[in-house]
Amino acid sequence: MGTSVCSDEIIRSTTNFRDYASVENPFQLGGLAGFPFSGLTGLKAFAAHIPDSGSAIILYGPHIGISKNGEIGVMQRHGQILETTCCGALQASLSALQKKSEPADPELDYQLWRIEEELGKKSNDILAHEQPLVQTTEVMFDVIHSQIETLIHAAGEPLKGKKIALIGGIIINTDFDLPDWFELRRFEVRE
């Protein structure tokens, strides 16, 4: 199993179906906001780990928080009294779009810089939406999906003859005492 989901620790509860697939530690393809920052090298390494007569699952997508009170973009984490942002990287990128501020420094904050670059291509759609953070998350799903597709096509030989299930969606994190959700957007099995 490989995942291209956000680095945030709260994602672990949402991807717990890996327990049913007997996978304790999936291969991490993703970084902030779920973008597959491991790139082609990471996907080829993942492909090299698929058992000879086995198959693989790739779970991908961004996440967003929704509090008990219905506030979008925040949730209460275990051990904290105050609600915190979720997904912080998408919110930082949205804030940069709204303020038209300088992009993140690619030397010091490459992942945020790349996310800002990708979201900037759809800034008009994002900023015109009644819920800009929701639209930011939607756009990020499309960006992640497109990059996963590009990487799979570019990987070539290492994936040849392998059966792979692609599961894409948006992870919805809620307060720590409530269940998290996965809104399925794409499911496909490829051989």
Side-chain angles (χ1 to χ4, degrees):
M1 178 174 183
T3 61
S4 192
V5 296
C6 191
S7 306
D8 195 320
E9 82 282 352
I10 59 171
I11 299 297
R12 305 308 171 258
S13 65
T14 309
T15 59
N16 68 358
F17 74 84
R18 67 180 178 247
D19 296 340
Y20 301 105
S22 300
V23 177
E24 290 183 25
N25 298 306
F27 192 101
Q28 304 296 319
L29 298 165
L32 293 179
F35 189 84
F37 282 105
S38 71
L40 187 56
T41 300
L43 185 64
K44 285 182 176 183
F46 168 70
H49 302 170
I50 300 172
D52 292 339
S53 60
S55 53
I57 298 169
I58 298 177
L59 172 75
Y60 63 93
H63 71 128
I64 190 169
I66 300 179
S67 74
K68 248 182 234 184
N69 301 323
E71 187 176 349
I72 297 171
V74 298
M75 43 85 64
Q76 186 181 22
R77 295 167 192 270
H78 192 280
Q80 294 185 338
I81 295 171
L82 300 177
E83 295 170 338
T84 55
T85 60
C86 176
C87 171
L90 289 182
Q91 289 190 35
S93 298
L94 173 59
S95 178
L97 285 175
Q98 290 169 325
K99 295 176 182 176
K100 297 182 174 145
S101 59
E102 290 293 316
D105 182 337
E107 294 295 320
L108 298 176
D109 207 353
Y110 173 76
Q111 290 189 16
L112 185 62
W113 173 82
R114 179 69 191 272
I115 293 165
E116 289 175 352
E117 286 285 306
E118 294 295 334
L119 293 175
K121 297 171 188 175
K122 295 286 187 172
S123 62
N124 290 339
D125 294 341
I126 291 169
L127 297 176
H129 198 274
E130 64 180 286
Q131 290 283 345
L133 184 57
V134 170
Q135 186 63 16
T136 299
T137 306
E138 295 285 346
V139 168
M140 196 67 211
F141 173 80
D142 292 339
V143 167
I144 293 166
H145 174 74
S146 178
Q147 187 70 3
I148 292 286
E149 289 288 344
T150 298
L151 292 171
I152 287 172
H153 290 295
E157 190 63 35
L159 289 176
K160 201 170 266 185
K162 306 285 185 180
K163 184 184 271 188
I164 300 175
L166 300 173
I167 305 171
I170 295 176
I171 298 166
I172 302 167
N173 296 116
T174 58
D175 292 348
F176 75 92
D177 56 347
L178 296 172
D180 291 331
W181 302 90
F182 184 80
E183 184 176 294
L184 182 66
R185 295 297 175 89
R186 296 197 183 253
F187 176 76
E188 182 180 356
V189 177
R190 295 186 183 173
E191 294 194 48

